[in-house]
Amino acid sequence: MVTIVPAILPKTFTELEDGLSRLRGITRDVQIDLVGRNVLAGQDELPLWQEFDFEIDVMLPEPHEELDAILACGPSRITVHAHNAHARDALEKLQSLRDGNYPVATGIALLPSASPEALEEFNGLYDYVQVMGIDRVGSQGQPFNRQSIELVRRIRAIYAALPIQVDGAAATHPTELAAAGADRLVVGSAIMRAADPAAAYKELYTVANGAQ
């Protein structure tokens, strides 16, 4: 089964609250994209935390320095990007939290042009991989890079049990990504800018899982 994960890219904490209110009753899984500034800084919980399971995609210059503020809000998953110079520092800082009563899963994101071999640097430090479907991270509504389909296929051929998700224009190619081996499709504007987010979510879920 392919999971559809709505993504919110908030510029302020108020925008995050507004975005989550649009997703109530649609799904428990939500990704929050942190770009430019950490809108979670100074907060001690996420809005509507009883209703959602939160994944934080950290696209900040120094992710390892932002983790304490992010973790204070109680996410269940944190993604960092392999091309960031501090990616390994961030993942190493998270290792003690991967087990226990309230585990935090760790993910490593790869650009479409990357190769599966890029994962070797982070062996043992991550629970899932996020393949980017776009070239420029941190902006919704960009064109899809078809290299991501092949990257998903290649990673799946090597790592049969590894959870793989795709983020960035994934709504434009859900069938192909699912067939290549993606388990989760992270979808931003196609859901959040839809007149009816619930209908958009349902349609994507149906299409993606029709490929199984």
Side-chain angles (χ1 to χ4, degrees), residues 41-53:
Q43 305 295 327
D44 57 7
E45 66 180 24
L46 287 157
L48 304 174
W49 61 268
Q50 305 96 328
E51 300 182 36
F52 295 104
D53 290 326

PDB file of all heavy atoms in Angstrom, residues 41-53:
ATOM      1  N   ALA A  41      10.805  27.044  16.266  1.00  0.00           N
ATOM      2  CA  ALA A  41      11.654  27.550  17.344  1.00  0.00           C
ATOM      3  C   ALA A  41      10.811  28.274  18.391  1.00  0.00           C
ATOM      4  O   ALA A  41       9.976  29.116  18.065  1.00  0.00           O
ATOM      5  CB  ALA A  41      12.711  28.488  16.787  1.00  0.00           C
ATOM      6  N   GLY A  42      11.021  27.894  19.652  1.00  0.00           N
ATOM      7  CA  GLY A  42      10.289  28.517  20.740  1.00  0.00           C
ATOM      8  C   GLY A  42       8.963  27.881  21.064  1.00  0.00           C
ATOM      9  O   GLY A  42       8.298  28.269  22.031  1.00  0.00           O
ATOM     10  N   GLN A  43       8.555  26.874  20.281  1.00  0.00           N
ATOM     11  CA  GLN A  43       7.294  26.179  20.528  1.00  0.00           C
ATOM     12  C   GLN A  43       7.558  24.906  21.329  1.00  0.00           C
ATOM     13  O   GLN A  43       8.615  24.291  21.194  1.00  0.00           O
ATOM     14  CB  GLN A  43       6.609  25.814  19.202  1.00  0.00           C
ATOM     15  CG  GLN A  43       6.380  26.998  18.275  1.00  0.00           C
ATOM     16  CD  GLN A  43       5.415  28.006  18.840  1.00  0.00           C
ATOM     17  OE1 GLN A  43       4.471  27.654  19.550  1.00  0.00           O
ATOM     18  NE2 GLN A  43       5.608  29.280  18.509  1.00  0.00           N
ATOM     19  N   ASP A  44       6.572  24.505  22.140  1.00  0.00           N
ATOM     20  CA  ASP A  44       6.752  23.267  22.907  1.00  0.00           C
ATOM     21  C   ASP A  44       5.816  22.156  22.463  1.00  0.00           C
ATOM     22  O   ASP A  44       5.851  21.054  23.019  1.00  0.00           O
ATOM     23  CB  ASP A  44       6.587  23.520  24.405  1.00  0.00           C
ATOM     24  CG  ASP A  44       5.232  24.129  24.756  1.00  0.00           C
ATOM     25  OD1 ASP A  44       4.366  24.239  23.859  1.00  0.00           O
ATOM     26  OD2 ASP A  44       5.044  24.492  25.926  1.00  0.00           O
ATOM     27  N   GLU A  45       5.006  22.425  21.442  1.00  0.00           N
ATOM     28  CA  GLU A  45       4.178  21.375  20.845  1.00  0.00           C
ATOM     29  C   GLU A  45       3.695  21.832  19.482  1.00  0.00           C
ATOM     30  O   GLU A  45       3.678  23.032  19.174  1.00  0.00           O
ATOM     31  CB  GLU A  45       2.990  21.019  21.742  1.00  0.00           C
ATOM     32  CG  GLU A  45       1.976  22.127  21.918  1.00  0.00           C
ATOM     33  CD  GLU A  45       0.818  21.714  22.819  1.00  0.00           C
ATOM     34  OE1 GLU A  45       0.996  20.796  23.642  1.00  0.00           O
ATOM     35  OE2 GLU A  45      -0.267  22.319  22.690  1.00  0.00           O
ATOM     36  N   LEU A  46       3.314  20.863  18.677  1.00  0.00           N
ATOM     37  CA  LEU A  46       2.782  21.156  17.353  1.00  0.00           C
ATOM     38  C   LEU A  46       1.268  21.321  17.424  1.00  0.00           C
ATOM     39  O   LEU A  46       0.614  20.684  18.253  1.00  0.00           O
ATOM     40  CB  LEU A  46       3.147  20.028  16.386  1.00  0.00           C
ATOM     41  CG  LEU A  46       4.621  20.010  15.982  1.00  0.00           C
ATOM     42  CD1 LEU A  46       5.033  18.633  15.513  1.00  0.00           C
ATOM     43  CD2 LEU A  46       4.887  21.050  14.911  1.00  0.00           C
ATOM     44  N   PRO A  47       0.698  22.144  16.570  1.00  0.00           N
ATOM     45  CA  PRO A  47      -0.755  22.316  16.571  1.00  0.00           C
ATOM     46  C   PRO A  47      -1.472  20.996  16.278  1.00  0.00           C
ATOM     47  O   PRO A  47      -0.999  20.191  15.471  1.00  0.00           O
ATOM     48  CB  PRO A  47      -0.996  23.318  15.435  1.00  0.00           C
ATOM     49  CG  PRO A  47       0.312  23.998  15.217  1.00  0.00           C
ATOM     50  CD  PRO A  47       1.350  22.974  15.551  1.00  0.00           C
ATOM     51  N   LEU A  48      -2.577  20.771  16.950  1.00  0.00           N
ATOM     52  CA  LEU A  48      -3.404  19.578  16.717  1.00  0.00           C
ATOM     53  C   LEU A  48      -2.587  18.296  16.831  1.00  0.00           C
ATOM     54  O   LEU A  48      -2.817  17.328  16.105  1.00  0.00           O
ATOM     55  CB  LEU A  48      -4.080  19.663  15.331  1.00  0.00           C
ATOM     56  CG  LEU A  48      -4.940  20.905  15.084  1.00  0.00           C
ATOM     57  CD1 LEU A  48      -5.436  20.935  13.630  1.00  0.00           C
ATOM     58  CD2 LEU A  48      -6.130  20.943  16.031  1.00  0.00           C
ATOM     59  N   TRP A  49      -1.646  18.275  17.771  1.00  0.00           N
ATOM     60  CA  TRP A  49      -0.736  17.128  17.875  1.00  0.00           C
ATOM     61  C   TRP A  49      -1.455  15.830  18.188  1.00  0.00           C
ATOM     62  O   TRP A  49      -0.951  14.741  17.885  1.00  0.00           O
ATOM     63  CB  TRP A  49       0.336  17.408  18.930  1.00  0.00           C
ATOM     64  CG  TRP A  49      -0.200  17.630  20.320  1.00  0.00           C
ATOM     65  CD1 TRP A  49      -0.533  18.820  20.887  1.00  0.00           C
ATOM     66  CD2 TRP A  49      -0.470  16.627  21.307  1.00  0.00           C
ATOM     67  NE1 TRP A  49      -0.990  18.637  22.172  1.00  0.00           N
ATOM     68  CE2 TRP A  49      -0.970  17.295  22.457  1.00  0.00           C
ATOM     69  CE3 TRP A  49      -0.335  15.242  21.344  1.00  0.00           C
ATOM     70  CZ2 TRP A  49      -1.339  16.619  23.621  1.00  0.00           C
ATOM     71  CZ3 TRP A  49      -0.704  14.573  22.503  1.00  0.00           C
ATOM     72  CH2 TRP A  49      -1.188  15.251  23.617  1.00  0.00           C
ATOM     73  N   GLN A  50      -2.656  15.912  18.764  1.00  0.00           N
ATOM     74  CA  GLN A  50      -3.404  14.683  19.059  1.00  0.00           C
ATOM     75  C   GLN A  50      -3.928  14.017  17.786  1.00  0.00           C
ATOM     76  O   GLN A  50      -4.238  12.831  17.787  1.00  0.00           O
ATOM     77  CB  GLN A  50      -4.589  14.981  19.979  1.00  0.00           C
ATOM     78  CG  GLN A  50      -4.248  15.684  21.277  1.00  0.00           C
ATOM     79  CD  GLN A  50      -4.427  17.195  21.169  1.00  0.00           C
ATOM     80  OE1 GLN A  50      -4.224  17.785  20.098  1.00  0.00           O
ATOM     81  NE2 GLN A  50      -4.838  17.805  22.267  1.00  0.00           N
ATOM     82  N   GLU A  51      -4.017  14.760  16.688  1.00  0.00           N
ATOM     83  CA  GLU A  51      -4.670  14.270  15.472  1.00  0.00           C
ATOM     84  C   GLU A  51      -3.700  13.858  14.367  1.00  0.00           C
ATOM     85  O   GLU A  51      -4.123  13.252  13.380  1.00  0.00           O
ATOM     86  CB  GLU A  51      -5.617  15.352  14.929  1.00  0.00           C
ATOM     87  CG  GLU A  51      -6.706  15.744  15.913  1.00  0.00           C
ATOM     88  CD  GLU A  51      -7.654  16.783  15.334  1.00  0.00           C
ATOM     89  OE1 GLU A  51      -7.944  16.712  14.120  1.00  0.00           O
ATOM     90  OE2 GLU A  51      -8.096  17.660  16.101  1.00  0.00           O
ATOM     91  N   PHE A  52      -2.414  14.190  14.518  1.00  0.00           N
ATOM     92  CA  PHE A  52      -1.467  13.949  13.429  1.00  0.00           C
ATOM     93  C   PHE A  52      -0.187  13.281  13.926  1.00  0.00           C
ATOM     94  O   PHE A  52       0.196  13.425  15.086  1.00  0.00           O
ATOM     95  CB  PHE A  52      -1.085  15.271  12.752  1.00  0.00           C
ATOM     96  CG  PHE A  52      -2.217  15.966  12.057  1.00  0.00           C
ATOM     97  CD1 PHE A  52      -2.810  17.084  12.632  1.00  0.00           C
ATOM     98  CD2 PHE A  52      -2.692  15.523  10.835  1.00  0.00           C
ATOM     99  CE1 PHE A  52      -3.858  17.736  12.001  1.00  0.00           C
ATOM    100  CE2 PHE A  52      -3.737  16.165  10.196  1.00  0.00           C
ATOM    101  CZ  PHE A  52      -4.319  17.276  10.781  1.00  0.00           C
ATOM    102  N   ASP A  53       0.462  12.564  13.004  1.00  0.00           N
ATOM    103  CA  ASP A  53       1.829  12.095  13.193  1.00  0.00           C
ATOM    104  C   ASP A  53       2.708  12.958  12.290  1.00  0.00           C
ATOM    105  O   ASP A  53       2.506  12.983  11.069  1.00  0.00           O
ATOM    106  CB  ASP A  53       1.968  10.619  12.813  1.00  0.00           C
ATOM    107  CG  ASP A  53       1.263   9.702  13.796  1.00  0.00           C
ATOM    108  OD1 ASP A  53       1.245  10.031  14.996  1.00  0.00           O
ATOM    109  OD2 ASP A  53       0.731   8.670  13.364  1.00  0.00           O
TER     110      ASP A  53
END
